[in-house]
Amino acid sequence: MTSLSSAVAFPSSCRARPAGGNSRRAARLLVARAAASSPKLPSGRRLRVAVVGGGPAGGAAAEALAKGGVETVLIERKMDNCKPCGGAIPLCMVSEFDLPLDLVDRKVRKMKMISPSNVAVDIGRTLAPHEYIGMVRREVLDDYLRTRAKSAGAEVLNGLFLRYEAPKEPNGSYVVHYNHYDSSNGKVGGEKRSLEVDAIVGADGANSRVAKDMGAGDYEYAIAFQERVKIPDDKMVYYEERAEMYVGDDVSPDFYGWVFPKCDHVAVGTGTVTHKADIKKFQAATRLRAKDKIEGGKIIRVEAHPIPEHPRPKRVSGRVTLVGDAAGYVTKCSGEGIYFAAKSGRMAAEAIVAGSANGTRMVEESDLRKYLAEFDRLYWPTYKVLDILQKVFYRSNAAREAFVEMCADDYVQKMTFDSYLYKRVVPGNPLDDIKLAVNTIGSLVRATALRREMEKVTL
């Protein structure tokens, strides 16, 4: 999922720092030097890593590990998994992860942000002709990344991870226990198996069993609820290049509702952290807000899933690390997670490859911690800014009205899209930053006044 909120009301110095190539190369050199002191593996033996989970994080990690000379086993329990996800990916992900364009169902160039009072603001005016937000189906994207990992040399197993046993001596093996699913053996629930590995990458989502085993700690989470709706062809024309986002207490007290286009249907959904028991009520309200545009549609699939709200307290323990949703890499306010999942999976894998000298040496916890340090350096400001935005603009309907009003500003749109599409900072104009700050204060003042008047009416 994504939102037009990653740059609103914050000067460029507060936004995510650019993913500079020089700093990344320097970090890899440090990892490589650290690897020189770790034990060399016996001749003919490669470092062996288990990647648990086959979503964007696991697929990207497994591919990078296999390409880097590491013996890789990817374990995924559900090969046709359809996660209730808006499915929005930034433009830079298409090139950075070399994704074929036929994976992208729709190229969204227009967005409507719709306020609690149904004031609609058109967003996308600042996009260049070649720019767009990609809309994908998770089952298609995930399968592609797993297949590519397999082509790179990773072994892909259909199985359910159960638990792992930590080594009893330094540089000993981790024992991974899992249920192996194989229709040919006729065993209901799978066949219990185990394998020995040198390191584990936990990419098994918000309910990560790897995280539980390593004592990673809990985090607050949202419940996302989504319905895939097949609407008449004439109505689908409206959503050909358009997505919609609805804000208001009716659709979510702390998140937003969405209508995102897919290949031949739309995904209609919402999410909440604070009122999980009311999620179906919020979903009904989202459908009601979009009623005229999806009228005559047929629900073809219903999906629900937890989404983390902040990174876990612990993301590395020994030679085990977490990536993607398992690590908690979903941004507040926007709910974006696909890019950060794939990016974290690749970064963790690259740290293991470098730390093991392409699979010829044992890795250490310090190698994995370098992945965390680089990821946090690059993206921690984004998470903090969006956390603040959510607290400021999602706290009341009046504040949401102010937020939608601000989204009409061309400068806000340009800075937001530049930040989202490329995951880098384009320096802002200081005068425009000052103007934006003033307009933000004005919008919030008007929102506060409106809220007070509304309270008078309801008393």
Side-chain angles (χ1 to χ4, degrees):
M1 290 177 283
T2 184
S3 166
L4 263 288
S5 50
S6 58
V8 173
F10 286 83
S12 56
S13 60
C14 293
R15 302 189 192 106
R17 298 188 182 102
N22 290 335
S23 60
R24 188 181 299 114
R25 284 192 292 273
R28 287 176 184 166
L29 283 173
L30 288 173
V31 175
R33 288 170 187 161
S37 64
S38 60
K40 194 167 184 177
L41 296 173
S43 177
R45 156 132 143 72
R46 289 281 175 177
L47 189 81
R48 194 178 199 199
V49 176
V51 178
V52 181
E63 181 187 16
L65 286 166
K67 284 183 175 179
V70 174
E71 186 179 345
T72 307
V73 179
L74 186 153
I75 303 172
E76 168 58 38
R77 69 179 179 86
K78 195 173 181 182
M79 295 298 186
D80 62 346
N81 183 40
C82 301
K83 184 179 176 182
C85 169
I89 60 172
L91 183 61
C92 67
M93 185 173 179
V94 176
S95 57
E96 188 175 341
F97 287 85
D98 195 23
L99 301 178
L101 290 181
D102 59 5
L103 283 185
V104 178
D105 284 342
R106 300 282 177 174
K107 296 179 179 179
V108 169
R109 295 182 172 91
K110 304 172 185 176
M111 294 190 74
K112 276 192 180 292
M113 179 71 72
I114 303 170
S115 78
S117 63
N118 281 325
V119 172
V121 168
D122 290 313
I123 299 171
R125 296 188 301 269
T126 63
L127 288 177
H130 70 280
E131 292 179 324
Y132 61 87
I133 296 172
M135 291 290 168
V136 299
R137 285 166 289 160
R138 282 291 304 275
E139 65 271 25
V140 176
L141 174 66
D142 295 6
D143 178 70
Y144 175 80
L145 293 174
R146 286 194 301 268
T147 300
R148 198 163 70 178
K150 184 176 181 179
S151 298
E155 181 181 5
V156 178
L157 299 178
N158 184 196
L160 172 64
F161 171 84
L162 300 173
R163 62 187 177 87
Y164 73 77
E165 295 177 37
K168 294 180 173 57
E169 66 277 337
N171 301 320
S173 297
Y174 287 83
V175 181
V176 173
H177 299 276
Y178 67 101
N179 278 347
H180 182 75
Y181 300 137
D182 184 351
S183 58
S184 64
N185 62 29
K187 292 187 178 181
V188 177
E191 178 184 7
K192 284 185 168 44
R193 295 186 182 180
S194 63
L195 58 89
E196 293 186 359
V197 297
D198 300 303
I200 300 172
V201 176
D204 49 339
N207 292 324
S208 171
R209 293 187 177 188
V210 175
K212 182 178 180 181
D213 275 5
M214 68 180 277
D218 295 325
Y219 48 32
E220 185 58 271
Y221 66 93
I223 288 292
F225 191 97
Q226 179 173 276
E227 295 165 327
R228 300 194 188 199
V229 182
K230 185 80 167 64
I231 60 177
D233 291 343
D234 60 326
K235 290 187 177 295
M236 197 68 201
V237 172
Y238 172 79
Y239 289 108
E240 184 176 356
E241 292 187 341
R242 181 181 283 108
E244 292 183 321
M245 298 171 60
Y246 294 86
V247 291
D249 283 334
D250 58 332
V251 298
S252 176
D254 56 339
F255 207 61
Y256 63 89
W258 64 86
V259 181
F260 287 171
K262 304 297 180 180
C263 58
D264 61 351
H265 62 275
V266 292
V268 182
T270 186
T272 179
V273 176
T274 58
H275 292 67
K276 297 179 181 69
D278 295 325
I279 188 67
K280 289 188 178 180
K281 181 180 74 173
F282 300 139
Q283 177 67 10
T286 303
R287 282 200 313 269
L288 182 62
R289 295 273 293 273
K291 179 181 176 181
D292 292 343
K293 284 161 283 190
I294 63 173
E295 192 171 10
K298 178 183 178 182
I299 297 174
I300 57 176
R301 190 167 191 138
V302 178
E303 304 154 342
H305 198 76
I307 296 176
E309 279 289 289
H310 58 78
R312 288 188 189 270
K314 182 193 294 186
R315 290 168 284 159
V316 169
S317 178
R319 286 173 271 137
V320 182
T321 191
L322 302 176
V323 295
D325 280 14
Y329 295 149
V330 177
T331 58
K332 283 191 177 181
C333 192
S334 68
E336 182 189 359
I338 297 177
Y339 174 82
F340 295 116
K343 186 69 172 180
S344 63
R346 177 180 281 183
M347 290 174 68
E350 289 174 343
I352 292 172
V353 169
S356 68
N358 294 100
T360 62
R361 292 182 177 272
M362 180 61 68
V363 288
E364 300 171 350
E365 181 173 318
S366 59
D367 298 318
L368 297 176
R369 289 202 173 278
K370 287 185 171 63
Y371 133 66
L372 288 188
E374 186 177 6
F375 186 89
D376 289 350
R377 181 186 65 81
L378 292 174
Y379 302 117
W380 199 259
T382 297
Y383 287 89
K384 296 304 294 182
V385 166
L386 291 177
D387 184 17
I388 294 170
L389 280 172
Q390 186 176 50
K391 290 174 180 176
V392 172
F393 289 108
Y394 283 17
R395 58 195 169 92
S396 69
N397 273 351
R400 294 183 188 100
E401 294 284 352
F403 174 67
V404 173
E405 176 185 316
M406 288 172 51
C407 287
D409 186 275
D410 282 354
Y411 182 66
V412 170
Q413 292 191 23
K414 177 172 174 50
M415 297 304 292
T416 297
F417 273 113
D418 284 347
S419 174
Y420 173 75
L421 292 179
Y422 303 108
K423 292 295 176 281
R424 61 179 170 78
V425 174
V426 176
N429 183 311
L431 292 178
D432 285 333
D433 277 344
I434 294 172
K435 177 183 174 182
L436 177 57
V438 171
N439 288 343
T440 300
I441 294 170
S443 295
L444 289 173
V445 168
R446 287 191 294 276
T448 301
L450 176 60
R451 176 176 55 80
R452 288 172 178 168
E453 291 302 316
M454 293 171 65
E455 287 174 351
K456 290 178 183 178
V457 172
T458 56
L459 289 178

